[in-house]
Amino acid sequence: MTDPVAQDPLDQFVALSAILTGVAADKLHPTLDTYGTAREYLAYATANAGAQFAGLMRFYAANSSNPDVGSLVFNNTDPAIAYMAKTVMLMWYLGAWYPPDGLQKYHDNPQPPGPPFLVISADAYTQGWAWRVGQTHPMGYSDWRFGYWHSAPPPLSAFIGA
Amino acid sequence: MDYDVVIVGAGISGALIAKRLGAAGKKVLILEAGIDGQGSYADDLERFYLAQAKVPESPYTPPIVTADASGYQAPSNPSKQAAGRPSTLTLGEANWQDPSQAYLDQQGPLAFASTYERVGGGTMRHWLGTSLRFVPNDFRVKTVYGVEEDWPIGYDELEPWYGEAEAEIGVAADVANQDYLGISFPPDYQYPMPAIPSSLVDQAVTAAMPKVAPIEGIQLEVTNTPAGRNSIPYQDRRVCAGNTNCIPICPIQAKYDPTVTLAAALQFPSVSILYQTVASEIVVDASQQVTAINYLQYTDQNGPATGSGSVSAKLYVIAGHAIETPKLLLMSTNGGLTPNGVANSSGHVGQHLMDHPIYLSWALTESPLFGYRGPLSTAGIESMRDGAFRSKHAAFRIEIGNEGWNFPIGDPYTTTLDFIVGANASGLNKGSKGAFGSSLTGSLNHALTRQFRLGFLMEQSPEDGSRVGLSETWTDSLNLPRPQIHYNLSHYTKMGFVVAKRTADQIYAAMGATQYTKQCTAADMKTDPTVFEVTYDAQGNPAQPGAPGSTTEYFRFYGAGHVVGTYRMGTDKCDSVVDREQRSWDHSNLFLVGSGVFPTVATGNPTLTIAALAIWASETLLADLG
């Protein structure tokens, strides 16, 4: 049904994303993926950071069987890999594109107003995981019902599946 | 005579008056500077989702930002916009006085930090929904406490109109907990809808109240906030789903906004509206009657005037809000017949610009209280809105926020960046180490579920030095002058901040919460036009910095969006612009409505009082028309 050649990079991207974000792969990319967020982000990263993003994915593919691959990527001494990973994480968390070099500059000199970013799309904003990690929904996008705020939310695991 | 009544401005006041007049079969034309706000709702929501800075003005037009070739958004140039308005993005040291970024010609010494909209539905497109009545003493502060000004009307006179306004807006509240500080209701009165349930944040603050020692002898109490937001279906609109986004835009219009009333008004065949039509002069004849309103029209929101016209009526209503209304009055010099502007024989047009400057504080609790859920605010502490202390310092209400640290530091963005990139702008990532995987989700969850904030809305006293005028050099694309603002806060108002801070400190201590409020310094005051200094002695009186026994503190204030006071009502035509009916002292067929008529900003969010006064004015207009 799906083209195995095309599917492979998406699976790799989702697997790495799950390790970095701490959100389960089947939450990031559910079988019935209404928003197609994983595909959108893969395409967006490829279009906007082609070579650097390809470098991150190559490094991950070469080390994916290593149980510490998350740390190897996130704490990589090559900033091209480490900051590309952070850019990918922020896509998932905030639905926004923070160019890796802007993140590195912000890390080295963390002054307001913060690193530059673009909102990837309206759907991307509504699918941000930072909110779900806070056991809530993006501001301006709730599919919950009247009065839910009067009592406690489900546990974190119900949101992130991990 | 073209119309019975011409109304300038399609916000809450204009819409309510048009609806009442239309129901009585009167021929009404509304001139609205902005675009059709109902027709643009889906676009507005999309603009919000895509905004890099999701400030109150972000959904509305003309867009407050313009993207560069790479897509990064920067403030639009208001000199090129036909009906621009201020933005909270232009309050920084670098741009608050830059004519190519800031709409208002701000002369200081402090920045006026509140904004408004110029669009169908008006500034209430981005209101929170708070629908408080004022307390009776708000109307007589001079008589009771010897400060500020009395209103020419009292609570008892306004009370029936409050009830009508609550029905129009659709206010959710329970009478049983709204009768504090002298607020009264008719027997058997009920709000149109049951109260909005309180949030877990409200419940956490409520639980701590018995542990807070009385402030100025007053025991604090948490009260559910009356809200113009549906708890049951009302006026064909849905029930609130807790999108936590009342400001800037409710995605499902469960929150009332004036496009609802405007749409109802326009159902009457005798009511019509011209959008993208900017009133440019109120024409007055030698007998001091208004005879016409001249206007300019535009096609492109970033373009020049493409048309002009003039319209006449028996009665005229200016409902352009507390900055654009005085601007229009001052622009209307009638070739020298009214050299100081229309309705301005007192010289008070534009004077006494006020707001509820906010002392914002924020903290982290020990156990989760789950912010970022429900409407932006569902409760407040109203106890400090009145008391003997009002003779010494400003009163305030405390708004309990349900949106974590979104208002104070732009979260969850700031803290998420901290934990991923390895920074500590939030103060919550002390080692400035980055994290991934379960370490990241654990840290971020711990932070976001424990954040909350309190906003102290300060009653700013009316001062001659705070005023709206006409910029001599700054214009818009229609070649009309932009407003010039002088703004400052009195010692009386600043001392309210001192007490607010002490109150916040006590509440957080009683809750066992750790405070993260950023303390301002003298250095901040030099660079930030929203930071002020206050020096006081042991009695709270003004003192010179460094004087023996004196204390100096620095505070940042935020705008509440409560733009008030620039054409006040009064009993004497020498020191007010309109009478108690909101009729110009100078021109008997001219009415000025909206928050500009408030002699004081009082202690509640202004909307319900604006609406009540507008409905009252419509009755006067109908009586005049016969």
Side-chain angles (χ1 to χ4, degrees):
Chain A
M1 218 159 90
T2 43
D3 174 358
V5 179
Q7 191 185 6
D8 187 49
L10 185 66
D11 285 349
Q12 293 272 307
F13 177 65
V14 170
L16 173 60
S17 294
I19 291 167
L20 291 172
T21 60
V23 179
D26 63 353
K27 292 283 185 182
L28 297 179
H29 183 46
T31 309
L32 185 62
D33 190 350
T34 315
Y35 293 95
T37 311
R39 276 180 206 283
E40 183 180 8
Y41 290 175
L42 176 60
Y44 199 94
T46 304
N48 287 277
Q52 193 175 347
F53 179 65
L56 169 69
M57 294 313 296
R58 266 198 311 276
F59 181 88
Y60 171 67
N63 294 276
S64 59
S65 57
N66 187 322
D68 289 330
V69 64
S71 179
L72 290 176
V73 170
F74 187 79
N75 297 313
N76 202 289
T77 52
D78 179 358
I81 288 176
Y83 284 97
M84 191 68 239
K86 293 169 173 52
T87 295
V88 168
M89 292 165 74
L90 288 164
M91 293 174 79
W92 286 108
Y93 267 80
L94 299 172
W97 177 255
Y98 288 78
D101 57 338
L103 293 179
Q104 187 172 1
K105 277 183 203 150
Y106 182 65
H107 173 266
D108 297 343
N109 182 26
Q111 293 302 315
F117 69 95
L118 302 170
V119 180
I120 291 169
S121 65
D123 280 349
Y125 171 76
T126 67
Q127 298 310 303
W129 282 94
W131 311 95
R132 277 85 183 180
V133 168
Q135 291 169 260
T136 184
H137 57 82
M139 291 172 77
Y141 187 79
S142 161
D143 49 15
W144 295 19
R145 294 192 173 205
F146 177 76
Y148 75 82
W149 54 88
H150 188 65
S151 36
L156 176 59
S157 58
F159 289 84
I160 64 173
Chain B
M1 207 65 71
D2 304 321
Y3 293 91
D4 290 317
V5 180
V6 168
I7 301 170
V8 175
I12 179 69
S13 298
L16 285 172
I17 291 170
K19 185 180 169 189
R20 297 282 170 131
L21 296 177
K26 301 303 177 190
K27 201 173 173 200
V28 176
L29 176 68
I30 309 171
L31 308 178
E32 168 53 47
I35 66 165
D36 173 359
Q38 186 75 41
S40 69
Y41 211 95
D43 293 340
D44 297 340
L45 189 58
E46 179 89 353
R47 207 166 5 254
F48 163 76
Y49 284 145
L50 293 174
Q52 286 154 26
K54 292 180 166 38
V55 295
E57 314 83 38
S58 59
Y60 307 107
T61 60
I64 54 159
V65 291
T66 304
D68 68 14
S70 306
Y72 296 113
Q73 297 172 345
S76 301
N77 185 342
S79 70
K80 297 185 173 163
Q81 295 183 326
R85 82 283 193 208
S87 155
T88 42
L89 297 177
T90 56
L91 292 172
E93 180 189 13
N95 65 9
W96 76 293
Q97 293 176 314
D98 177 351
S100 71
Q101 293 195 30
Y103 174 75
L104 299 175
D105 178 0
Q106 297 234 34
Q107 300 290 310
L110 296 174
F112 186 71
S114 277
T115 66
Y116 53 94
E117 302 295 343
R118 292 172 80 188
V119 66
T123 303
M124 273 175 72
R125 294 295 305 280
H126 78 226
W127 79 312
L128 173 57
T130 301
S131 299
L132 293 162
R133 296 178 174 207
F134 288 173
V135 303
N137 278 350
D138 284 337
F139 299 95
R140 52 190 189 216
V141 272
K142 189 159 197 172
T143 299
V144 179
Y145 302 113
V147 296
E148 306 190 350
E149 299 289 336
D150 284 350
W151 290 47
I153 57 174
Y155 178 87
D156 290 344
E157 287 171 286
L158 199 54
E159 199 288 325
W161 308 108
Y162 272 143
E164 301 232 6
E166 283 156 357
E168 284 283 357
I169 289 172
V171 177
D174 183 352
V175 169
N177 52 34
Q178 300 303 327
D179 58 347
Y180 51 81
L181 299 175
I183 293 175
S184 60
F185 299 87
D188 304 325
Y189 181 79
Q190 292 203 320
Y191 279 94
M193 283 180 270
I196 303 280
S198 59
S199 68
L200 293 175
V201 182
D202 302 337
Q203 294 166 40
V205 179
T206 304
M209 282 301 101
K211 289 186 266 179
V212 179
I215 309 288
E216 315 253 3
I218 295 168
Q219 185 64 50
L220 303 187
E221 192 178 326
V222 173
T223 305
N224 184 273
T225 305
R229 150 177 347 113
N230 288 0
S231 62
I232 54 174
Y234 194 78
Q235 291 172 337
D236 300 324
R237 289 176 297 110
R238 295 168 58 182
V239 164
C240 172
N243 277 279
T244 327
N245 211 58
C246 322
I247 303 170
I249 185 167
C250 175
I252 62 170
Q253 218 176 10
K255 179 192 76 173
Y256 170 86
D257 76 69
T259 60
V260 175
T261 300
L262 190 61
L266 292 169
Q267 292 292 312
F268 295 112
S270 63
V271 179
S272 55
I273 188 166
L274 291 172
Y275 291 107
Q276 296 173 243
T277 300
V278 180
S280 55
E281 181 151 40
I282 301 166
V283 181
V284 169
D285 68 11
S287 69
Q288 296 298 319
Q289 289 295 290
V290 177
T291 57
I293 292 190
N294 297 337
Y295 58 79
L296 300 173
Q297 292 181 303
Y298 59 90
T299 314
D300 177 354
Q301 288 190 293
N302 293 299
T306 51
S308 63
S310 184
V311 64
S312 65
K314 293 173 187 156
L315 301 174
Y316 300 82
V317 177
I318 313 299
H321 209 339
I323 290 182
E324 296 296 326
T325 288
K327 188 186 98 175
L328 173 61
L329 294 169
L330 294 170
M331 286 187 329
S332 302
T333 51
N334 286 286
L337 187 65
T338 53
N340 299 319
V342 161
N344 198 23
S345 64
S346 66
H348 280 247
V349 168
Q351 296 286 345
H352 315 119
L353 174 66
M354 288 171 277
D355 192 2
H356 285 127
I358 296 175
Y359 172 67
L360 187 62
S361 66
W362 57 102
L364 204 71
T365 49
E366 287 286 319
S367 350
L369 43 50
F370 300 109
Y372 299 99
R373 302 169 77 240
L376 283 179
S377 179
T378 39
I381 298 172
E382 315 297 338
S383 320
M384 295 296 288
R385 288 174 58 188
D386 195 31
F389 66 83
R390 288 180 93 171
S391 63
K392 296 286 287 182
H393 66 77
F396 52 81
R397 69 174 295 258
I398 309 173
E399 180 186 272
I400 300 169
N402 287 334
E403 85 300 18
W405 292 359
N406 181 261
F407 184 179
I409 69 166
D411 252 1
Y413 286 80
T414 301
T415 300
T416 301
L417 270 170
D418 280 355
F419 284 125
I420 290 178
V421 178
N424 190 27
S426 63
L428 297 174
N429 188 26
K430 295 208 164 50
S432 294
K433 289 244 184 312
F436 71 95
S438 59
S439 169
L440 172 63
T441 55
S443 299
L444 192 59
N445 176 263
H446 186 278
L448 296 179
T449 57
R450 286 165 174 77
Q451 295 178 344
F452 83 109
R453 61 90 177 165
L454 299 172
F456 293 69
L457 280 69
M458 201 62 53
E459 183 187 19
Q460 179 189 350
S461 57
E463 302 295 328
D464 289 343
S466 294
R467 62 185 191 272
V468 177
L470 302 177
S471 177
E472 287 166 22
T473 50
W474 298 19
T475 54
D476 59 26
S477 76
L478 305 180
N479 272 328
L480 298 176
R482 286 188 262 159
Q484 183 184 69
I485 307 288
H486 291 78
Y487 190 66
N488 209 354
L489 302 176
S490 67
H491 183 80
Y492 178 88
T493 306
K494 291 176 179 177
M495 283 309 294
F497 277 72
V498 172
V499 178
K501 177 180 183 304
R502 285 183 204 149
T503 306
D505 294 351
Q506 290 197 43
I507 293 173
Y508 295 131
M511 295 177 72
T514 306
Q515 198 170 177
Y516 285 81
T517 309
K518 185 179 177 295
Q519 299 300 317
C520 291
T521 64
D524 291 325
M525 198 179 70
K526 289 199 176 71
T527 57
D528 186 336
T530 60
V531 174
F532 64 80
E533 174 187 68
V534 58
T535 303
Y536 54 96
D537 65 17
Q539 284 74 46
N541 294 318
Q544 288 302 314
S550 72
T551 305
T552 298
E553 294 187 67
Y554 300 88
F555 292 96
R556 171 172 287 107
F557 68 95
Y558 297 79
H562 302 168
V563 191
V564 159
T566 51
Y567 44 94
R568 69 184 182 190
M569 57 161 71
T571 52
D572 183 342
K573 64 179 294 184
C574 296
D575 70 0
S576 58
V577 178
V578 295
D579 66 14
R580 67 201 306 281
E581 294 184 318
Q582 306 167 75
R583 187 195 305 269
S584 160
W585 287 112
D586 299 345
H587 318 287
S588 63
N589 65 341
L590 176 66
F591 289 75
L592 310 176
V593 298
S595 49
V597 303
F598 291 13
T600 62
V601 68
T603 60
N605 304 40
T607 296
L608 190 73
T609 303
I610 295 170
L613 286 169
I615 296 170
W616 189 350
S618 67
E619 295 299 307
T620 308
L621 288 157
L622 284 172
D624 271 24
L625 289 170

